[in-house]
Amino acid sequence: MKAVDAETYLKALLAAPRPGSEQVLAFYDNRVGHICTDAHLLLLPLDDHICHRGDGLFESICFRQRTIFGLDAHLARLVDGAAALSITPPCDWQDVRQRIIDVALATGVDNGDLRVFLSRGPGGFGISPAECPQAGLYIVALKKNLPSESLYTKGFTAFTSAIPPKQEYLARIKNTNYLPNVFMAMEARQKGMDVAVTFDENGIMGEAAVANVGLVDDQGRLLCPEIKRILPGTTLLAAMEVAAERMPVVQMPIPRAAIATAREMLLFTSSTLCVGITHFDGKPVGQGTQAGKPGPVALWLKDVLLDYMLKKGAHI
């Protein structure tokens, strides 16, 4: 194998297989300074510390009806994570916000997903941040099918994960080291179920791989885990706000035993908003004739959360 010139290499690069390219609508790389729509050019420098050290942050953001859901809440979490990791973005935060909107706008579609990555930046293969003179900013827009109504009427199955919750100092930073989450997704696939849920050494409920979990208890209260060893999801925080108009909302340590007496178990994500968990560890969730079915709070929350996100979101 011989070294080739840049023109030959670039031609081969553009012809190389690119799995998933059909899902990429548009992307932006701060080093280049342009938005592009050819997924073959969606590349990341291997010496960016986000690659080989997981030293970076990301946000998954949904847009529907040309409205970006929870953009400012996602940005606030990114700002907090950047402060924790001492990463200074390559532009000011208002510019970051506008560039996210610009990438969404460049897709020309009404519905999709966005991924925003703030990295330590390229500069070396060591571990020291001092290698990297400037942070990286990458924004990607992806195709996303809207969730079907059957998803909500069927609900999800869940189980106790063998993976422990993250340590508190890492749990609240949405960093790109997601190996525990990957293991949870593998567990779910191996078990033929939808969602793995973590519990700490005292049996207190944590979160799912890419979602937050809550309960409607036997008193009709919405119980949400304490924001300690979980990532505070933007959809969970919105759900707590809108649900408070209809029912008591309590943040507290939730023991695994509370699932057995709960009226409902809920899963909160950016893309599906709120979905009922119908079975946990092989047993139906809920009481009486409602057991094993998505409950009324889950079905109500997915509608009011959609209205909330559309009203509060950033329009493109």
Side-chain angles (χ1 to χ4, degrees):
M1 188 178 298
K2 297 181 179 179
V4 298
D5 59 27
E7 183 179 352
T8 302
Y9 187 89
L10 183 59
K11 184 177 180 180
L13 176 65
L14 292 174
R18 190 63 170 85
S21 61
E22 70 282 356
Q23 299 300 318
V24 177
L25 296 170
F27 61 92
Y28 169 83
D29 180 338
N30 184 75
R31 299 171 307 140
V32 179
H34 299 292
I35 297 172
C36 183
T37 58
D38 185 344
H40 285 84
L41 297 173
L42 177 59
L43 303 171
L44 181 68
L46 279 175
D47 63 341
D48 191 319
H49 283 211
I50 199 173
C51 270
H52 58 84
R53 301 295 172 188
D55 189 1
L57 306 159
F58 80 101
E59 288 292 327
S60 298
I61 310 174
C62 173
F63 66 96
R64 290 196 207 176
Q65 300 178 36
R66 300 181 65 82
T67 303
I68 302 176
F69 286 5
L71 177 56
D72 292 319
H74 283 283
L75 274 173
R77 187 166 63 187
L78 196 61
V79 169
D80 288 346
L85 294 182
S86 298
I87 295 179
T88 301
C91 57
D92 66 45
W93 287 109
Q94 190 58 38
D95 281 344
V96 173
R97 185 182 192 277
Q98 186 58 52
R99 292 175 198 191
I100 294 170
I101 293 172
D102 289 343
V103 171
L105 186 61
T107 66
V109 301
D110 295 344
N111 310 298
D113 269 354
L114 296 162
R115 299 289 185 273
V116 181
F117 299 89
L118 180 63
S119 75
R120 183 68 65 185
F125 288 96
I127 197 168
S128 172
E131 288 187 335
C132 311
Q134 186 180 60
L137 174 64
Y138 312 98
I139 305 166
V140 186
L142 303 165
K143 292 180 182 177
K144 179 70 174 182
N145 294 325
L146 294 179
S148 65
E149 192 60 31
S150 62
L151 172 77
Y152 298 104
T153 56
K154 180 183 178 183
F156 287 146
T157 56
F159 63 95
T160 299
S161 176
I163 307 301
K166 295 177 183 177
Q167 295 163 301
E168 188 171 341
Y169 78 98
L170 286 177
R172 297 181 64 182
I173 303 173
K174 197 172 176 69
N175 66 82
T176 52
N177 188 342
Y178 250 45
L179 272 181
N181 310 65
V182 172
F183 284 133
M184 291 168 69
M186 290 170 59
E187 278 186 306
R189 184 172 182 178
Q190 291 164 359
K191 292 178 179 291
M193 287 192 254
D194 300 309
V195 179
V197 179
T198 61
F199 291 84
D200 71 12
E201 56 278 5
N202 298 311
I204 300 301
M205 190 168 73
E207 60 190 346
V210 291
N212 290 125
V213 185
L215 297 180
V216 179
D217 71 1
D218 55 2
Q219 301 175 49
R221 303 178 300 172
L222 175 60
L223 304 186
C224 301
E226 291 181 305
I227 308 298
K228 287 186 176 179
R229 295 179 70 179
I230 69 168
L231 184 75
T234 57
T235 305
L236 173 65
L237 297 177
M240 291 168 61
E241 181 179 336
V242 299
E245 299 176 4
R246 170 169 165 169
M247 60 201 301
V249 175
V250 181
Q251 281 187 281
M252 58 175 282
I254 303 174
R256 185 189 287 105
I259 298 172
T261 59
R263 296 181 186 179
E264 299 182 45
M265 189 172 185
L266 312 174
L267 188 80
F268 300 101
T269 76
S270 293
S271 59
T272 59
L273 301 177
C274 181
V275 182
I277 293 174
T278 62
H279 292 76
F280 187 80
D281 282 344
K283 298 179 180 179
V285 176
Q287 308 301 318
T289 58
Q290 192 61 53
K293 302 175 184 177
V297 174
L299 297 173
W300 169 72
L301 270 175
K302 62 101 171 173
D303 289 331
V304 296
L305 279 171
L306 178 58
D307 291 342
Y308 176 93
M309 294 297 187
L310 289 172
K311 181 180 178 181
K312 300 281 188 178
H315 300 289
I316 59 175

